Amino acid sequence: MSNSRKRLNRREFISTALAGAASVGLLNRLAPAKDFIEAAAPVSPAQSGNKMTERKLGKTGIVLPVVSMGVMNADNPELVKKSYELGIRHFDTAFGYMRGRNEEMLGKVFTEMKCRDKVVIATKIPPPGQRDAQKAKEEFLRMADTSLKRLQTDHVDMIYIHDVSAVENVHPAALTEALAQLKKEGKARFVGFSTHSNMAACLNEAARTGFYDVILTSFNYAHAENKELSDALANAASKGIGLIAMKTQCSQYWYREGLSNVEQMYYQGAIIQSAVLKWVLRHDFITTAVPGYTTYEQLSEDVSAGLNLALSSEEKKFLDDRKVKLAMEFYCRQCSQCASSCPKGADIPSLMRTHMYASCYGNFYQARDTYDGISRERGLETCASCDSCRARCVHSISIPKRIDDLKALFG
Ligand code: SF4
Ligand code: SF4
């Protein structure tokens, strides 16, 4: 490994990551919840009766406001309640988020609020590791039942296979059988998959067969020039697949790694969030987005974007700013183009996603779970710390630097 790279120790990496996450408000959930929130809760236009733009979710017929809640990073029930009060109706969670506590929190909140029939709940089940198809199906169904129990409901509106990134994994027989069974038994109204990488190919494969009702996909301003992806999204939507966008605000990478301190201060302004969120929502093929907000300010800002999708002159200026475009080079698009660049076979895209959860979201549970999903032969233990790392990002990400960070975290 090159000596020119300074390796952070675990403590340094965690404090850097936490400082970064705190700078974008991701750690406010650690504040004393209720008092903090009520003091900070701004009045949103939604409270005065305005409604967010609504769209139909493909062939499901479900109509949703364009802004939903990605619950992954939130562990504060009051934030969920406030979201509902402000008009949010779709809540996206997963079997693995916060080791199940995320689903449990949602179940408790909706039971207390007696609003289960007014909300749309989506959860994701990870593909089981078993090679035996029957066992994989049974395990998937068992996890789905666990999710329903945690969510205190007899059905979810959408259930996804979590994290599909290869075309051959879009229709695994064991899991499509399990999904069909969940639908038949009334445990899931609609079925789909989530995809973080190789999205265009996975979307096209789903559009080809028509098995899926919905797809949750990464889509954000970093993909602005990715015609293959926008064509695939339009194609899937034209076949009646409901499309939901995640990672819409790119986890703010652009001002954490790409800009000077002065510029970072400038770009921490609220305008960034509304501009990039609106950029996604101005694509009609996207029904709704699930931004992972964790504070009242972020919630209010996201809802306000959903109330008026027109770009203000400031927002236009921001999106046109070359510095913003350059800085977005530091966001890992999960394009998988580095997938075979490590001669030892390390799973670089998954490692880079692990890094994103840790360093940017400050969500070490999710980072750990993502890392645990990488097979042993393709994880950090595989990395031989070569003098000169041959893993290459086709954009501007320093893969060796991020691998060093992960070693500090998990080593
Ligand atoms: S590290 Fe670069 S090449 Fe690899 S998935 Fe991320 S953006 Fe793509
Ligand atoms: S990621 Fe691969 S190429 Fe890079 S240092 Fe590790 S083993 Fe070497």
Side-chain angles (χ1 to χ4, degrees):
M1 180 160 299
S2 165
N3 291 330
S4 61
R5 298 203 311 262
K6 178 184 182 295
R7 181 183 283 188
L8 298 179
N9 63 34
R10 186 169 190 274
R11 184 189 294 270
E12 285 169 336
F13 175 65
I14 290 174
S15 17
T16 306
L18 289 175
S23 77
V24 296
L26 289 174
L27 299 181
N28 285 344
R29 63 178 185 268
L30 300 177
K34 202 157 187 298
D35 291 349
F36 167 77
I37 281 173
E38 287 183 351
V43 176
S44 159
Q47 290 171 323
S48 60
N50 290 344
K51 267 181 92 178
M52 283 192 274
T53 302
E54 293 182 336
R55 290 184 187 143
K56 202 191 269 187
L57 185 64
K59 62 190 172 191
T60 70
I62 294 175
V63 174
L64 290 173
V66 287
V67 175
S68 300
M69 180 175 189
V71 191
M72 182 176 84
N73 294 306
D75 60 1
N76 188 334
E78 299 301 320
L79 189 65
V80 178
K81 288 181 192 165
K82 182 59 87 178
S83 302
Y84 182 82
E85 285 168 22
L86 295 187
I88 287 188
R89 289 295 176 268
H90 166 42
F91 297 82
D92 179 88
T93 182
F95 179 88
Y97 290 170
M98 298 174 175
R99 311 269 158 93
R101 286 187 295 110
N102 205 261
E103 288 182 328
E104 283 169 3
M105 175 191 69
L106 279 187
K108 196 159 178 285
V109 170
F110 295 144
T111 299
E112 271 173 28
M113 293 176 74
K114 299 187 173 58
C115 66
R116 173 64 191 94
D117 57 340
K118 296 188 180 63
V119 293
V120 169
I121 302 177
T123 196
K124 313 177 201 77
I125 307 294
Q130 288 94 342
R131 287 178 193 272
D132 179 280
Q134 184 57 28
K135 283 192 181 141
K137 179 180 168 186
E138 285 166 10
E139 176 66 3
F140 191 87
L141 292 170
R142 190 194 62 72
M143 286 190 278
D145 281 340
T146 301
S147 286
L148 291 179
K149 204 167 161 197
R150 290 171 181 162
L151 288 161
Q152 301 186 29
T153 183
D154 60 358
H155 74 282
V156 286
D157 299 279
M158 273 103 75
I159 199 155
Y160 302 107
I161 303 175
H162 201 159
D163 190 11
V164 172
S165 58
V167 169
E168 60 270 27
N169 294 334
V170 171
H171 297 100
L175 303 194
T176 51
E177 276 175 30
L179 291 172
Q181 184 172 325
L182 289 168
K183 237 183 173 180
K184 195 169 160 204
E185 291 172 349
K187 292 179 177 177
R189 291 175 65 204
F190 301 105
V191 300
F193 63 86
S194 67
T195 177
H196 302 264
S197 74
N198 202 18
M199 289 92 75
C202 294
L203 284 156
N204 285 333
E205 174 63 5
R208 186 182 67 76
T209 65
F211 175 78
Y212 291 105
D213 307 300
V214 282
I215 297 175
L216 174 66
T217 178
S218 287
F219 186 51
N220 57 52
Y221 191 53
H223 301 120
E225 281 149 31
N226 187 339
K227 187 163 178 326
E228 189 194 5
L229 178 58
S230 54
D231 286 350
L233 288 163
N235 179 38
S238 75
K239 302 279 169 58
I241 298 176
L243 298 175
I244 299 174
M246 63 176 164
K247 300 199 164 37
T248 47
Q249 276 112 309
C250 315
S251 311
Q252 296 92 2
Y253 251 119
W254 57 86
Y255 63 82
R256 294 194 47 226
E257 284 192 35
L259 302 175
S260 70
N261 286 344
V262 172
E263 287 165 331
Q264 284 189 24
M265 291 302 290
Y266 173 72
Y267 284 118
Q268 280 176 24
I271 191 78
I272 299 171
Q273 301 295 321
S274 60
V276 290
L277 180 56
K278 284 183 187 180
W279 181 86
V280 171
L281 297 177
R282 284 165 63 82
H283 292 82
D284 285 345
F285 49 61
I286 297 294
T287 298
T288 187
V290 290
Y293 54 82
T294 55
T295 70
Y296 270 112
E297 289 86 348
Q298 293 164 354
L299 162 63
S300 178
E301 195 168 30
D302 291 348
V303 168
S304 296
L307 289 167
N308 177 11
L309 298 183
L311 291 168
S312 68
S313 54
E314 269 183 310
E315 288 165 338
K316 273 188 201 143
K317 192 168 157 229
F318 172 78
L319 291 176
D320 286 341
D321 190 331
R322 186 169 152 68
K323 279 187 198 150
V324 172
K325 287 194 172 144
L326 286 176
M328 291 189 83
E329 287 293 304
F330 295 87
Y331 166 74
C332 173
R333 296 157 172 77
Q334 289 286 292
C335 65
S336 291
Q337 293 192 59
C338 55
S340 51
S341 62
C342 166
K344 300 279 182 191
D347 181 352
I348 305 294
S350 300
L351 288 169
M352 294 303 101
R353 190 146 63 89
T354 303
H355 187 279
M356 177 181 71
Y357 288 134
S359 74
C360 198
Y361 288 50
N363 187 335
F364 294 98
Y365 283 123
Q366 196 57 31
R368 180 82 240 182
D369 286 347
T370 305
Y371 182 66
D372 287 346
I374 303 171
S375 67
R376 219 176 142 78
E377 314 77 61
R378 306 202 62 203
L380 291 172
E381 288 171 23
T382 296
C383 176
S385 299
C386 311
D387 282 343
S388 174
C389 177
R390 287 165 61 188
R392 289 280 175 273
C393 171
V394 296
H395 301 286
S396 302
I397 288 170
S398 170
I399 291 173
K401 161 78 173 61
R402 291 188 190 186
I403 284 184
D404 283 355
D405 289 345
L406 289 175
K407 284 182 177 171
L409 185 62
F410 295 125

